Amino acid sequence: MIDAMLSSPFFGLTLTAACWCFALRLQKRTGLLVCNPVLVAALLVIGVLTVFHIPLESYNAGGSMIKLMLGPATAVLALNIYQQRQILKSHFLPVLAGCLMGSITSIAVVLAFCWFFATEDVFTASMLPKSITTAIAVGISESGGGIQGITAASVVITGVEGAILSPLFARLFRVTDPVAEGVAIGACSHAIGTSKALEIGVLQGAMSSVSLCVCGILTSILVLFL
Amino acid sequence: MHIMAEIAIIFGICLLSEGIAALLPFVFPASVISMLILAALLLTGVVKTKHIQLLSGFFIANMGMFFIPSLVGTLEYAETLRAQFIPFLVITLLTTPVVYLVTAWTVQLLTRLLSRKGGSRHD
């Protein structure tokens, strides 16, 4: 019976949904940004698989269905651009230039570090899209021959870091313009940072959600030239 | 709108994007193409917010859940990750402040420059 249940796609679907809900509640209870629900839920799933010696293939029967939904989840990010079109229009040039510089910087710094550490190509390809939102990053990583899991891990850790440290960055780097602050948060820490930007201010949140989309698009174009 | 109609619209865009991605002479993520198509359809008014409201609300509210399988997939590459752990952490953590600094100051300087030049907004 157990074998039949483990080989069913419902196993991966149930485990993912249950861990996700638990992690969401944990975040709400603790209010800690470190308790990022994606990170906590993934660790929970990994924990269950490891403790009960369940092979990854069993999980992936259902997991791959959830992964498939990354496509539509990315598509609906277009709503960010649409809903903020007025604000995007009035700051078009600075936002576009900021996102372009941010995307180039991210790629350049990752490449420089990879050169320094003399990493393998597979690893470099996995790290390149680390600053952009997971849905787009895993797509770029896959296209470039990277490992999706490593990309996703780096992206999520980056997002949590940005969400925690962005108020400090603003003070440290003397960033006073709320538009600049929002665009920078979205560029360096995508959707997870945006949740923090929304807490800082409405304008910061709006700019951050536009910026994460623009940076995602720009990065997927920029890596074509590598 | 009926939830199934919303599913048909959004999944249809994703399907079309995979077709376009296959046609392109370079490798480009289909998800980005679908985002661009949906943005174009919204901006031209072909698709209205109300046509995709229910489904997009669900996806945006639970976006994180869809990343879990990719993260769990890291298990298979635990060796690679362990071998490259220091570069992984250094790159992940140190790139972020540099990107923040460059982006914020590009926007800040350009905004100041534009407002000094014209005194009005440049679109």
Side-chain angles (χ1 to χ4, degrees):
Chain A
M1 189 189 107
I2 297 289
D3 283 343
M5 283 168 71
L6 285 182
S7 58
S8 159
F10 285 120
F11 169 66
L13 291 170
T14 310
L15 185 62
T16 311
C19 291
W20 173 244
C21 291
F22 177 82
L24 275 183
R25 186 163 296 184
L26 185 76
Q27 160 120 79
K28 212 171 257 174
R29 276 280 165 80
T30 59
L32 294 171
L33 280 167
V34 188
C35 289
N36 173 269
V38 182
L39 215 54
V40 172
L43 289 175
L44 280 172
V45 173
I46 291 177
V48 170
L49 298 184
T50 315
V51 169
F52 296 102
H53 299 287
I54 301 165
L56 192 61
E57 297 91 76
S58 303
Y59 171 74
N60 276 342
S64 59
M65 292 183 181
I66 294 175
K67 207 192 259 180
L68 181 69
M69 291 303 128
L70 269 178
T74 313
V76 300
L77 284 178
L79 266 182
N80 279 353
I81 300 178
Y82 179 69
Q83 283 164 346
Q84 311 296 346
R85 63 193 180 283
Q86 292 307 336
I87 212 165
L88 178 62
K89 220 174 172 184
S90 53
H91 303 279
F92 187 71
L93 208 54
V95 172
L96 190 68
C99 290
L100 184 64
M101 288 306 292
S103 303
I104 293 174
T105 305
S106 179
I107 293 173
V109 174
V110 172
L111 281 179
F113 275 127
C114 286
W115 173 81
F116 178 77
F117 287 114
T119 57
E120 291 165 42
D121 288 350
V122 180
F123 182 79
T124 310
S126 314
M127 296 302 286
L128 270 181
K130 59 136 323 234
S131 294
I132 60 171
T133 194
T134 321
I136 302 177
V138 293
I140 295 179
S141 172
E142 198 182 23
S143 310
I147 299 164
Q148 284 195 355
I150 293 182
T151 307
S154 181
V155 167
V156 172
I157 295 171
T158 297
V160 175
E161 179 198 8
I164 295 172
L165 296 182
S166 52
L168 178 76
F169 291 162
R171 255 178 290 141
L172 200 65
F173 302 140
R174 296 175 201 286
V175 177
T176 47
D177 177 3
V179 174
E181 190 179 1
V183 176
I185 295 174
C188 79
S189 56
H190 53 93
I192 303 176
T194 301
S195 61
K196 182 69 192 176
L198 283 163
E199 279 173 32
I200 299 173
V202 181
L203 188 55
Q204 284 89 336
M207 295 322 304
S208 183
S209 59
V210 169
S211 157
L212 82 93
C213 293
V214 177
C215 288
I217 298 167
L218 289 176
T219 302
S220 44
I221 296 171
L222 285 169
V223 294
L224 293 176
F225 296 101
L226 292 180
Chain B
M1 206 168 201
H2 197 287
I3 184 76
M4 285 304 155
E6 296 199 7
I7 288 180
I9 293 174
I10 293 179
F11 284 15
I13 291 172
C14 292
L15 181 64
L16 179 67
S17 308
E18 298 209 352
I20 294 174
L23 282 180
L24 290 176
F26 44 84
V27 189
F28 197 79
S31 57
V32 181
I33 301 175
S34 60
M35 178 167 84
L36 291 171
I37 293 177
L38 185 57
L41 291 175
L42 284 166
L43 290 169
T44 52
V46 178
V47 170
K48 302 241 181 334
T49 311
K50 63 171 190 224
H51 295 151
I52 53 166
Q53 221 162 16
L54 294 172
L55 199 61
S56 52
F58 166 74
F59 275 124
I60 289 171
N62 293 291
M63 183 78 81
M65 189 182 78
F66 303 102
F67 310 145
I68 297 172
S70 303
L71 275 173
V72 175
T74 318
L75 263 182
E76 219 176 328
Y77 303 98
E79 272 312 309
T80 315
L81 198 56
R82 209 170 295 150
Q84 311 267 26
F85 195 64
I86 300 290
F88 174 81
L89 266 194
V90 169
I91 296 171
T92 301
L93 296 178
L94 295 190
T95 311
T96 314
V98 185
V99 174
Y100 186 103
L101 176 70
V102 173
T103 310
W105 274 96
T106 306
V107 178
Q108 213 158 253
L109 287 178
L110 206 58
T111 306
R112 277 181 208 167
L113 203 71
L114 288 175
S115 63
R116 200 182 308 157
K117 227 183 187 177
S120 63
R121 275 180 177 162
H122 290 239
D123 284 341

